[in-house]
Amino acid sequence: MEVSLKNNVSRQASYDCWLQYEKIRDHEYYNQYVAYSRGIAVVGDSPILKSALDELERGLFSMFGQKSTVYNEAAKEASIIAGTFESIPLEDYGLNKASLINMNEEGYLLKAVKDEEKIIVAAKSDKGVLYAVHHLLRLLQLRESLKQVNIVESPKNQLRMLNQWDNMDGSVERGYSGQSIFYENHKITTNLERIKDYARLLSSIGINAISINNVNVWKVETKLITNDFLPDVAKIADILRAYGIKTFLSINFASPIEIDGLQTADPLDPDVKTWWKNKVEEIYRYIPDFGGFVVKADSEHRPGPFSYDRNHADGANLLAEALEPFGGLVIWRCFVYNCLQDWRDRSTDRARAAYDHFKPLDGDFLDNVILQIKNGPMDFQVREPVSPLFGALEKTNQMMEFQVAQEYTGQQKDLCFLVPLWKEVLEFDTYAKGEGSKVKNIVNGSLFNDKFSGICAVSNIGNDENWTGNTLAQANLYGYGRLIWNPDLTSEEIAEEWIRSTFGQDPSVVEQIKQMLLDSWSIYENYTAPLGVGWMVNPHHHYGPNIDGYEYSVWGTYHFADRDGIGVDRTIETGTGYAGQYYSPNKEMYNNLETCPDELLLFFHHVPYTYKLKSGKTVIQHIYDTHFKGAEQVEELIEKWNGLRGKIDEIRFVNVSERFQLQLKNAKEWRDQVNTYFYRKSGIADENNRTIY
Amino acid sequence: MEVSLKNNVSRQASYDCWLQYEKIRDHEYYNQYVAYSRGIAVVGDSPILKSALDELERGLFSMFGQKSTVYNEAAKEASIIAGTFESIPLEDYGLNKASLINMNEEGYLLKAVKDEEKIIVAAKSDKGVLYAVHHLLRLLQLRESLKQVNIVESPKNQLRMLNQWDNMDGSVERGYSGQSIFYENHKITTNLERIKDYARLLSSIGINAISINNVNVWKVETKLITNDFLPDVAKIADILRAYGIKTFLSINFASPIEIDGLQTADPLDPDVKTWWKNKVEEIYRYIPDFGGFVVKADSEHRPGPFSYDRNHADGANLLAEALEPFGGLVIWRCFVYNCLQDWRDRSTDRARAAYDHFKPLDGDFLDNVILQIKNGPMDFQVREPVSPLFGALEKTNQMMEFQVAQEYTGQQKDLCFLVPLWKEVLEFDTYAKGEGSKVKNIVNGSLFNDKFSGICAVSNIGNDENWTGNTLAQANLYGYGRLIWNPDLTSEEIAEEWIRSTFGQDPSVVEQIKQMLLDSWSIYENYTAPLGVGWMVNPHHHYGPNIDGYEYSVWGTYHFADRDGIGVDRTIETGTGYAGQYYSPNKEMYNNLETCPDELLLFFHHVPYTYKLKSGKTVIQHIYDTHFKGAEQVEELIEKWNGLRGKIDEIRFVNVSERFQLQLKNAKEWRDQVNTYFYRKSGIADENNRTIY
């Protein structure tokens, strides 16, 4: 019985992710704050405020073990008083609304008042109240002191979004955690409870928008915007709305043809315009606060304006005009490139494509269009430079696209904590308006004063019990939300928050896992494609090594390794000129072999294997060393994890252990294939005579 | 109307293959033989004789344009008199039965008698009569002279078999001509007419056995030997029987477990023995002349005796014991190897596997077991040595396995006439019993006096209108049947027969297509994997180049190319020892770099790119030259084919033209990827400075 009970407990823990709210067993801490849990007031009864109240009750009960008395006004018996500035008598608690003027629409105040007898949870909007409640619960869950707590906080980014790449057959493109939680058998799921639980998780980390179907919109999915499915989409939107999350749909640009048999989807055709106008009206009848459309057009065989000799601005503006009266947005993806490239053609460079396509259109988009730009110019590799489109678009709304799903970073078998990668991107200085023009200040809209902006990412969840396949991959979803809420948080802070919320307060557990998370990106990079060259993965599924897997393909992803050297010459003088897409001094830094950072050397330059890196090693020795090291580091991760046995529940322990074994196998395969490939090609022996096959 | 009529005519031609029986428009020839078509007698009324009569009537009517009067006895009004030696009064026609004693059970006599007024079509068996009728029709169709015709003929091989790799979902493993004609939707087809037409085609080329399901026996197919499906299998067997073809089934070695839930499939377990005994009895109740089982066991993840620590003889004999009372056979495949090899492991050699597994068991098999051995030690590559197992098994029935389906030889997009390849194999001298121990004399059972022997092949047909995808691939099916009937026919003879039966008598058409067919294997070899090294194909589907596609895989198929050289060392002294599996002097010929034939050099030796071939060229220059040449040759094939426009019907012209365009694309891709790969690796320039990317 004990075992099965324990299993149930930890199965629940797998499912609850970072919303564990473990019972407080520290008596001092308990006694200090238990009074707060006795009476709570949430003033107002909107669905969002109901969610806030629900979270508050649930969290407090779970941690303090007693049910709170709930008031629907700022009763004097209530210890926690939550509501908007309009609904709470701020002055009664010595608070001055004017002092909160700089807070944004989603910001909030958390403040202990009346000699710490009460905590005020106040915000401009209902959504802010919900975020504030989560903040308060997080503080308690992390066992932080609430003494004289006085927090004024606003999210740094406007749109904080997830893209589900879910298909209606139940599959998830690039999904590594089971099937879709949104669809099954070409219908919308009837398991709405799971969607609500997803919404809870997302609201707790501040996500406020989601697109619920794959950017590749296939036949059935095209009909999501018809009355076949809109009633069910509206049900999902209702659930998400109650957690402050707006619903978006990915659409098929050829919808007028495919849904209603129009002859064309030409964005300048009057019938097409009318069609979209009517379609959008129809959608808003079902979902009055519908977010808008996400569009992958003229990319990887998806239809788009190019078919009609129109450009991306024509295409996006068509939809934007229809959405504008309702406040809807068009999120237009910039992942556009020639996916039928001839490998023989060295002049075409996929890395240039987004900039080449969209920079000339800067200023041509309506102001409810946002261009969604992947963090790098290629496709979510373990190491890429930042897309030069960030900073290049001065008159166009733009947002960042990350990938929480670990497509090229271990597929949730291998551990790869991505927050450090994302931080590097956000901290990158584009010099678009001189020094300090960091990416984070572009995507938060401040540098170019964009009307709309933000960050989105491909989600990593599925219907696995623990949402993310590998339990440790929950850290990426958590970390993503926290980082885009506030990009100034450090990776360490985020990791520690997640671990303590997920696995509890044992300092040895926290330290061990934190180190593992923080090392993991570098470890993964060590045993995979070296020095920024990318790919070298198995075609189609993208897991495991295949050095020449894409070398003679149509995808524009080459390393050009020969017997003498490796790398892609993207310099201005002798290469594809890609380096010239950056502002100075980045342009010169990348363009110049001497100043190009080691980790991106092969992205920008073709060099001999004997080229000496800044580290002092030759390229070939670096390849050997990092690959031997990477596999060893995975063995160390396993040892560290084994040290945690008994300190965390068995279900989650085993879940991660199993995946580490897969990672080890993968790392050894990468090590041996990469080393053998380059030894065969270069003929240069490893200085340390380790085994190369 | 004219066009659609013409289309219908040629669609019929696509479907009829070599059984066109085009109207005789040559007056002289017509007048010479029209009398034969007036009265025909087929004595006897067995299903096979009914088929013979049907073929005869149909063919004569089609060629002479008049309906024959049919007699069921050797009436004096009949000009063609067909029947067995028992049923025809041979002496009346001056024939002496004793002189035909050396003819085998399937042999026959075709003889003009009574001053050429009559033709006698006589055989030991009904089947022989059917073959004789086909022979007579072939002579007429080829417009051969029947003057004093006097042919005594027997097939040279006993089992002349096809293996269908058809699955019950309707797919065909390695099928390039549509779906299965035998199955759809996990059921046996209701379109039995098509199966009858297939039987007609097969009987016309002497095929006398067929296994009707894939050697990989999946879940549903496992049940073919249950009463769920046996009634329908029996219907197919009825049709095939009427054309002299015995029905075999591929079985799942784990059937006792999967069908009836036994705990084991151990071949020495008494319950398992009983199970198979009962099962075989059941099958024979439905199909009294059932041929037997084809078995792929312990190969590529299929179950087999190894699971129970038994060997292949134990496994085969289990089934043989059950089949023996009914005269059934076990055809046990020798395609057994480690398909989870570690590419790092250079000591394991897949080429050795069949010999290593089966040679030690020689003599251990019951005498209704036949071992089915693929022509080469690997897997139907464009160039392989002959399997050393031929000749090594002195006390075991054995048969050859060819592949008519063009899995590795262009997939019925690219033209590759395989008769020359098969002939090379059959003419190979194993020296098993000294000089003259040719493979053809092993597989016909004569060298070791085997009780059962023969040749089988994977079929290349599907439900495409023209059966084989590429119309020219019909030549491989035709050629396979004709060659195994009589391995002494030349490739030229077979090609010419097929062309004249298929496209008519225009000498320019015949000559042009004949040259194309005869050149095609060499052309295909030119642009694909060089010098016998094999593979270099895209994983899974096996079409198109991927030089390293299998280089780091589990499949045991490597080329070991590095910056200095390429090839697999299979010598006795420094390699895997595979060369030692041959008899002298083949052993020494292959083992010795100086005597190893160029075309197999890289199969047996790892050599530097600068190694000089017997041709005088270096290996690297040979690679460049053959690859440039191969692609050019495909352009020449296209030119030649274009020259036939208007001389053959448009449907078949276009069918082939379209495939030639695919072949050209494929050949160029091979050329460029192979040349670039080896240029990058070797750094050695093409002597003729042609474009290498």
Side-chain angles (χ1 to χ4, degrees), chain A residues 641-642 645 652-662:
Chain A
W641 187 252
N642 286 340
R645 178 154 228 158
R652 293 188 293 175
F653 178 82
V654 170
N655 166 278
V656 173
S657 285
E658 287 171 354
R659 280 155 187 82
F660 271 135
Q661 290 306 320
L662 298 173

Side-chain angles (χ1 to χ4, degrees), chain B residues 396-452:
Chain B
T396 306
N397 299 318
Q398 58 202 281
M399 65 191 293
M400 170 67 70
E401 179 177 345
F402 287 134
Q403 192 183 37
V404 189
Q406 292 172 240
E407 178 178 358
Y408 292 97
T409 50
Q411 303 199 351
Q412 290 147 244
K413 295 186 187 91
D414 302 29
L415 181 63
C416 193
F417 182 55
L418 292 167
V419 172
L421 185 164
W422 298 327
K423 267 197 84 72
E424 251 188 48
V425 172
L426 294 171
E427 293 295 333
F428 181 76
D429 194 343
T430 67
Y431 291 89
K433 288 175 119 182
E435 197 171 349
S437 305
K438 291 190 173 184
V439 170
K440 67 181 178 187
N441 297 325
I442 294 169
V443 299
N444 72 14
S446 63
L447 196 73
F448 295 112
N449 208 8
D450 294 325
K451 184 168 177 193
F452 297 108

Side-chain angles (χ1 to χ4, degrees), chain B residues 337-473:
Chain B
Y337 66 97
N338 177 4
C339 67
L340 287 174
Q341 190 175 329
D342 190 332
W343 60 267
R344 301 165 186 83
D345 163 23
R346 291 243 189 158
S347 66
T348 302
D349 179 5
R350 170 167 165 180
R352 293 187 57 110
Y355 185 102
D356 286 346
H357 278 292
F358 288 93
K359 169 70 178 165
L361 301 176
D362 189 20
D364 294 350
F365 293 90
L366 292 178
D367 70 359
N368 60 331
V369 174
I370 313 178
L371 296 187
Q372 176 169 316
I373 306 165
K374 287 193 180 184
N375 63 274
M378 297 299 274
D379 190 14
F380 302 134
Q381 299 301 290
V382 67
R383 175 75 66 177
E384 290 186 54
V386 169
S387 171
L389 207 46
F390 291 112
L393 296 172
E394 301 178 14
K395 295 169 284 182
T396 306
N397 299 318
Q398 58 202 281
M399 65 191 293
M400 170 67 70
E401 179 177 345
F402 287 134
Q403 192 183 37
V404 189
Q406 292 172 240
E407 178 178 358
Y408 292 97
T409 50
Q411 303 199 351
Q412 290 147 244
K413 295 186 187 91
D414 302 29
L415 181 63
C416 193
F417 182 55
L418 292 167
V419 172
L421 185 164
W422 298 327
K423 267 197 84 72
E424 251 188 48
V425 172
L426 294 171
E427 293 295 333
F428 181 76
D429 194 343
T430 67
Y431 291 89
K433 288 175 119 182
E435 197 171 349
S437 305
K438 291 190 173 184
V439 170
K440 67 181 178 187
N441 297 325
I442 294 169
V443 299
N444 72 14
S446 63
L447 196 73
F448 295 112
N449 208 8
D450 294 325
K451 184 168 177 193
F452 297 108
S453 61
I455 300 180
C456 73
V458 184
S459 175
N460 68 343
I461 68 105
N463 71 354
D464 277 2
E465 183 71 19
N466 70 352
W467 301 87
T468 55
N470 190 333
T471 300
L472 297 183

Side-chain angles (χ1 to χ4, degrees), chain A residues 343-344 563 669 672, chain B residues 343-344 563 669 672 680:
Chain A
W343 59 268
R344 301 164 186 84
R563 74 195 321 252
E669 199 60 35
D672 292 339
Chain B
W343 60 267
R344 301 165 186 83
R563 74 195 322 253
E669 199 60 36
D672 293 339
R680 284 192 189 174

